[in-house]
Amino acid sequence: MELTINKEEFKYALSEFGKGEIFEEFAHSFLSQVLGDEFIPVGGTKDKGIDGSLKIYSRSTHPTFIYQISTELGYEKKIQGSIEKLIMNDINVDRLIYVTGRKVNQKNTIEDDFIKTNKINLTIYDVEWFASNVTNDERLIQLYNSYIESNIHQFRKPQNEYVVGNYIKDPRLYVFMRQQFNSKNNNDEIEEKLADSLILYALEGTASETKRFKNLEQIKQDVAQYVKFNPKSVYSTIEKQLGVLSSKPNQINYHSKEDAYCLPYQTRLILHERDIEETHIHNSFKGQTLEQLKKYLKDENVKATNVLSLIETTVHNIYHKQGIEFSSFIIDGQSRDILEVALPEIVGQVVDDSHIKMDNKESVKKALLMTIRNIAYNGTTEQNEYLRRLSYTYNMMFMLRWDPHLASAFQKLASQLKIYVGTSILIPALSEIDLKPSKRRYWSLLEGAYIAGVQLTINETILDELVNHFGMIRYKYKTMYKNVEDFYLENEINTMYVDEILIRAYFYSKSRGNVQRFYEFIDNFAHPNLYNAHRDLKEFLHDEFHIEYEDTSKIEKKIDDKDLKSLTDRLTEMKNSKERAETDAKLMLMVYKQREINQEEDRKSVFGYKTWWLSKDIYTYQAIKDVFGSRYNVNCYMRSDFLFNYIAMAPKKKEIDNMFKEVFPSLLGINLSYHMPKDICGHVNKALNEHSEKSPTMIRRAVRNYTEKLMSTNTKNSKQLNSFFDDELKKLMKN
């Protein structure tokens, strides 16, 4: 089959997404293919004084042909500065080839002027050169397709967007997954400490003397404002920590009359002293760093306005793009190479996107780069403390998945998932129809999963089971509850002890005046007589949750009858219901058959299998192992709490981007560091070192295995997803 490529799409991808190291590696491979030669780095910051941002290479067969790879805007000054540094370092140059993913206008004029000025030939390879070479070369098309697949990720609708990033070379996904299973720290503990900080932050200005209080909802609103997204996953922790902080010795006071909270005098005094210290650190950092930058600008004979914004934007971008390595360097002196490899690119992008005049950009880049290096290597006490606290805050956010790269990784994972939603998820979701949105958990799970890009699916087996369940509760209501409704409506305790959750939901709804009769409640989902229940429920699930119906009968016919019987027999022993056992066996084997047909075992995706069964019945995989041994080494079952916490309710990359703008750098950024467990950084550094020592193949395998395990196995960070009604019953039983 002949490979083809759309030339305009190729140019768009290269110019829009071709930034920094990603483009450098692509260009390096592309040049090697086109020219049939190897490229060797020239010099470096430690040997010949050549600025690490130049990205200069020589050809092994033509050592005096020097290639510079760049994506920066000011290419004319960049080219001129490069040749001057090469000559200064006694590097022989017969021809300079400037390689960029951007389009360069008037190339011939620039090349002619350069040879007149420097007596050296200049050739420019821009995006047009790449496009002209890739069109009819099958090897280069394959290289480009690999580049797109590895680095440019398109998320499925309804949030269709592109994100650039390599989940193998960037260590963050590996380090995070490693921490989920191997770190001694519990994410619950970190989340509790973050909640403490946010609560205290939200209660600033409150006091009983002035009658200034804040209730739970006001605190939640303030927290959402600080973190720049709606942190539903943290709300339950905030409610819990309000009780902890208001217990003796109380850091906050709860006033029952107002049903609200405020800060006591002692806490206000402690926070006031901390605010003074943090304000001093923050202002000193800005003042000292600004003074250093102005000195370097003066040395470069450049005047610029609003240069403080360059410093703050650079610090922001460092934590946004390389936060895990930079934090490791600041706290423990690890990952030192980040300053030599990443900083030139980050600084270059900041200045290119700034208000600085084109003629001054190269000089400002040099001055800004020297400033950042200086504060990182030889900073003052205040500069060191400021970056140290920001780094602790970054680590806290990282462990809670509040990192742009992690957010995009989980969005990418969501966009490839195809999930068959079992009735153990659907039935609790339907029971929540009359609850307030804040109390809907399974409903929010399905809504959030769809918004994140997950493909939610049911088939005839699931639909049959759901219809049968409605038939069963109609019968139970008629025979057990219809004539004694008053007893179950008398109080919450009686209601919550109803065994079927949909009947329980009916009594809850009726007690609040939402419905009057049981069949009116059933009518929310299907006609009460259930004479066309398959169609009605199929439409309801599609309209409310965007769950698609799929005919899997052809796939089910490919399931081995002996396998189905063996698994059904084993599940019957575990469930004491042959009908339910056969349903589960058919679903599980169908998922495995889909994985086989779609060749998901051979997928290059770092996230592993695409097809899963979403169910609360976590014990059925044991039957798979009992019957088939090692034939199916990866579970077909996905934990509902994984989908809820990591996909459906997790903040999206755009939301985290907004939070990073607020936190890095800011007073809030150093304030949040106060409660961070300090030993977490040691575990992160260990995983960082592992990442640097492993090959890309090993990293891909490890991340894939960790991801599949995280989706299907309970961990110490697992949070059991319960319905509102089940939690209410637990509370009543405790009392």
Side-chain angles (χ1 to χ4, degrees):
M1 178 178 171
E2 183 180 352
L3 294 177
T4 60
I5 196 168
N6 184 301
K7 191 173 179 180
E8 293 306 313
E9 287 182 4
F10 172 85
K11 289 193 290 185
Y12 176 80
L14 221 59
S15 59
E16 287 296 311
F17 304 128
K19 301 291 190 295
E21 185 182 1
I22 290 176
F23 173 73
E24 181 184 356
E25 291 184 357
F26 172 74
H28 198 151
S29 300
F30 196 97
L31 290 168
S32 297
Q33 291 273 19
V34 172
L35 302 174
D37 208 345
E38 293 182 359
F39 290 80
I40 305 165
V42 175
T45 57
K46 295 179 182 177
D47 46 12
K48 294 193 176 182
I50 299 175
D51 193 316
S53 66
L54 293 186
K55 312 293 186 186
I56 293 176
Y57 300 86
S58 63
R59 287 175 64 177
S60 60
T61 58
H62 297 77
T64 60
F65 281 27
I66 305 298
Y67 289 74
Q68 179 180 11
I69 301 174
S70 176
T71 60
E72 297 183 37
L73 283 173
Y75 44 83
E76 290 188 62
K77 277 209 167 188
K78 190 79 174 178
I79 294 168
Q80 189 61 42
S82 300
I83 202 68
E84 290 173 0
K85 288 192 176 183
L86 288 166
I87 294 171
M88 186 187 308
N89 284 274
D90 298 323
I91 295 174
N92 191 19
V93 184
D94 288 336
R95 179 182 294 274
L96 178 65
I97 299 92
Y98 184 78
V99 184
T100 179
R102 300 180 185 272
K103 182 176 181 179
V104 177
N105 297 319
Q106 299 179 323
K107 282 188 293 187
N108 293 337
T109 302
I110 296 171
E111 292 168 347
D112 292 343
D113 290 345
F114 187 85
I115 195 170
K116 290 177 184 178
T117 304
N118 299 283
K119 310 304 179 187
I120 295 174
N121 289 309
L122 171 69
T123 302
I124 298 176
Y125 292 166
D126 69 349
V127 68
E128 297 290 344
W129 177 85
F130 280 96
S132 66
N133 278 277
V134 77
T135 306
N136 298 312
D137 192 316
E138 188 170 303
R139 295 170 307 159
L140 295 178
I141 292 174
Q142 289 176 334
L143 176 65
Y144 167 70
N145 287 335
S146 176
Y147 163 74
I148 293 293
E149 181 181 347
S150 298
N151 299 292
I152 302 173
H153 310 288
Q154 181 180 9
F155 300 147
R156 192 158 54 207
K157 292 181 178 180
Q159 289 193 324
N160 195 22
E161 59 179 299
Y162 291 94
V163 169
V164 179
N166 190 303
Y167 301 128
I168 302 300
K169 292 179 180 177
D170 190 302
R172 282 176 283 185
L173 184 58
Y174 172 82
V175 172
F176 176 80
M177 289 297 187
R178 181 85 163 70
Q179 297 306 297
Q180 298 305 294
F181 296 97
N182 294 32
S183 172
K184 294 180 182 178
N185 292 87
N186 190 309
N187 279 13
D188 286 349
E189 178 189 357
I190 297 173
E191 190 171 292
E192 288 166 3
K193 292 180 181 298
L194 173 65
D196 290 347
S197 293
L198 293 173
I199 288 168
L200 294 175
Y201 217 79
L203 288 176
E204 283 192 1
T206 60
S208 58
E209 299 91 332
T210 58
K211 301 297 182 183
R212 296 186 65 182
F213 305 97
K214 286 187 179 179
N215 60 31
L216 174 61
E217 290 306 314
Q218 289 172 320
I219 292 171
K220 287 181 179 179
Q221 289 172 11
D222 284 349
V223 168
Q225 179 183 348
Y226 299 143
V227 299
K228 296 302 177 185
F229 56 83
N230 193 4
K232 294 180 182 177
S233 61
V234 186
Y235 283 168
S236 60
T237 308
I238 288 174
E239 293 182 27
K240 174 186 172 184
Q241 292 308 108
L242 282 170
V244 172
L245 293 174
S246 57
S247 302
K248 291 185 178 181
N250 54 319
Q251 296 183 55
I252 66 175
N253 285 337
Y254 172 69
H255 292 261
S256 56
K257 183 179 179 181
E258 289 80 8
D259 191 20
Y261 302 84
C262 71
L263 296 178
Y265 174 76
Q266 193 61 35
T267 302
R268 297 201 303 271
L269 186 62
I270 294 171
L271 293 178
H272 179 66
E273 292 174 351
R274 196 189 306 166
D275 287 344
I276 293 174
E277 178 192 16
E278 290 170 349
T279 301
H280 169 70
I281 294 170
H282 182 61
N283 291 339
S284 296
F285 175 85
K286 289 194 297 184
Q288 293 165 2
T289 309
L290 182 59
E291 184 179 340
Q292 291 172 2
L293 177 56
K294 287 181 177 179
K295 176 185 177 298
Y296 287 125
L297 288 172
K298 185 177 181 181
D299 293 343
E300 292 291 315
N301 199 27
V302 172
K303 291 183 178 180
T305 60
N306 197 22
V307 292
L308 179 61
S309 67
L310 295 178
I311 296 169
E312 292 179 334
T313 304
T314 301
V315 173
H316 165 78
N317 284 1
I318 289 171
Y319 282 103
H320 188 278
K321 297 179 179 179
Q322 307 284 166
I324 191 170
E325 300 98 329
F326 190 72
S327 296
S328 176
F329 171 78
I330 293 297
I331 295 171
D332 290 321
Q334 303 290 323
S335 305
R336 191 179 184 88
D337 289 346
I338 182 64
L339 298 177
E340 305 303 334
V341 176
L343 276 182
E345 178 188 329
I346 291 172
V347 167
Q349 193 66 50
V350 168
V351 177
D352 278 345
D353 295 341
S354 73
H355 63 284
I356 301 298
K357 294 179 180 178
M358 184 64 72
D359 290 344
N360 293 334
K361 283 187 184 293
E362 285 305 309
S363 297
V364 173
K365 287 176 186 177
K366 180 179 178 181
L368 183 56
L369 184 58
M370 293 175 69
T371 302
I372 300 300
R373 279 176 172 161
N374 188 61
I375 66 173
Y377 283 122
N378 304 300
T380 66
T381 300
E382 292 82 5
Q383 287 171 329
N384 290 336
E385 184 63 16
Y386 185 73
L387 293 178
R388 188 185 69 83
R389 295 196 187 195
L390 283 183
S391 297
Y392 277 125
T393 293
Y394 171 81
N395 274 281
M396 174 184 283
M397 293 169 60
F398 175 79
M399 291 304 294
L400 295 174
R401 304 183 304 282
W402 294 0
D403 173 274
H405 187 79
L406 291 179
S408 71
F410 280 105
Q411 282 181 253
K412 176 65 176 178
L413 168 62
S415 70
Q416 80 163 36
L417 289 175
K418 178 181 181 180
I419 294 177
Y420 289 90
V421 187
T423 54
S424 63
I425 303 296
L426 294 174
I427 292 167
L430 299 186
S431 75
E432 298 172 342
I433 190 167
D434 283 331
L435 294 181
K436 294 178 180 179
S438 61
K439 295 179 179 178
R440 290 177 171 180
R441 297 169 191 173
Y442 286 92
W443 192 289
S444 297
L445 165 70
L446 297 175
E447 280 187 332
Y450 167 73
I451 292 172
V454 177
Q455 182 180 344
L456 301 174
T457 311
I458 57 169
N459 65 357
E460 194 68 22
T461 301
I462 296 171
L463 195 57
D464 282 345
E465 190 174 17
L466 187 60
V467 171
N468 290 337
H469 184 82
F470 270 88
M472 180 271 294
I473 63 168
R474 282 181 81 252
Y475 177 78
K476 270 199 172 185
Y477 170 76
K478 183 178 179 180
T479 57
M480 297 175 59
Y481 299 104
K482 183 177 180 180
N483 297 322
V484 288
E485 277 201 3
D486 290 344
F487 171 77
Y488 290 101
L489 292 170
E490 186 178 359
N491 57 57
E492 292 282 308
I493 297 177
N494 294 349
T495 299
M496 291 303 165
Y497 274 111
V498 174
D499 58 352
E500 297 298 338
I501 194 169
L502 277 173
I503 300 177
R504 201 185 316 165
Y506 156 66
F507 284 127
Y508 181 90
S509 183
K510 183 172 182 178
S511 68
R512 282 152 180 78
N514 295 326
V515 294
Q516 296 300 318
R517 295 177 300 279
F518 177 72
Y519 296 110
E520 182 185 346
F521 178 75
I522 296 298
D523 197 39
N524 283 305
F525 316 107
H527 191 282
N529 289 334
L530 302 182
Y531 65 87
N532 210 352
H534 283 77
R535 186 184 69 182
D536 290 347
L537 288 169
K538 190 191 304 182
E539 288 180 356
F540 177 89
L541 295 176
H542 180 271
D543 291 347
E544 292 296 335
F545 307 119
H546 304 276
I547 296 176
E548 300 291 339
Y549 174 83
E550 180 183 11
D551 182 357
T552 58
S553 57
K554 291 182 179 179
I555 298 172
E556 290 169 7
K557 288 178 182 177
K558 296 180 180 181
I559 296 173
D560 187 281
D561 290 338
K562 292 181 180 178
D563 286 349
L564 180 59
K565 183 179 185 307
S566 297
L567 185 56
T568 299
D569 290 345
R570 179 68 185 96
L571 285 171
T572 301
E573 296 173 12
M574 300 170 69
K575 296 174 177 290
N576 298 318
S577 168
K578 185 172 183 178
E579 183 180 6
R580 181 64 186 272
E582 186 173 6
T583 296
D584 288 355
K586 190 182 295 185
L587 274 169
M588 296 171 79
L589 292 175
M590 187 272 295
V591 168
Y592 283 120
K593 184 59 67 174
Q594 281 226 14
R595 289 178 176 178
E596 178 187 328
I597 292 170
N598 297 332
Q599 297 182 316
E600 294 179 31
E601 179 70 35
D602 300 325
R603 288 172 60 87
K604 295 180 180 179
S605 169
V606 67
F607 301 114
Y609 286 112
K610 172 183 177 180
T611 310
W612 295 81
W613 175 39
L614 184 67
S615 171
K616 292 173 67 177
D617 194 355
I618 64 175
Y619 303 106
T620 48
Y621 183 56
Q622 183 60 49
I624 289 283
K625 291 193 290 185
D626 292 345
V627 174
F628 302 111
S630 61
R631 191 202 300 186
Y632 301 115
N633 284 325
V634 178
N635 207 332
C636 66
Y637 154 81
M638 179 183 287
R639 290 173 20 229
S640 57
D641 65 282
F642 167 82
L643 191 64
F644 184 81
N645 292 307
Y646 288 78
I647 304 293
M649 292 295 103
K652 305 301 180 282
K653 182 179 180 298
K654 287 183 178 179
E655 296 172 323
I656 291 176
D657 285 342
N658 290 332
M659 183 180 182
F660 263 64
K661 290 176 184 177
E662 190 77 10
V663 172
F664 300 106
S666 69
L667 268 172
L668 175 61
I670 60 176
N671 181 278
L672 291 178
S673 70
Y674 182 75
H675 290 292
M676 177 64 187
K678 302 302 184 281
D679 61 335
I680 188 66
C681 301
H683 299 291
V684 169
N685 287 338
K686 181 180 179 181
L688 263 176
N689 292 333
E690 287 180 4
H691 181 273
S692 66
E693 294 168 358
K694 292 180 182 292
S695 68
T697 300
M698 293 172 70
I699 294 296
R700 181 183 297 276
R701 182 175 67 243
V703 172
R704 176 172 180 153
N705 290 339
Y706 279 137
T707 304
E708 291 172 339
K709 187 177 179 182
L710 188 64
M711 285 195 280
S712 60
T713 307
N714 285 320
T715 71
K716 65 183 179 183
N717 293 319
S718 300
K719 291 184 177 180
Q720 188 65 38
L721 182 64
N722 293 317
S723 73
F724 166 78
F725 295 110
D726 288 337
D727 277 352
E728 288 298 299
L729 179 58
K730 287 181 181 178
K731 290 178 184 177
L732 291 171
M733 292 179 69
K734 285 181 180 179
N735 296 332

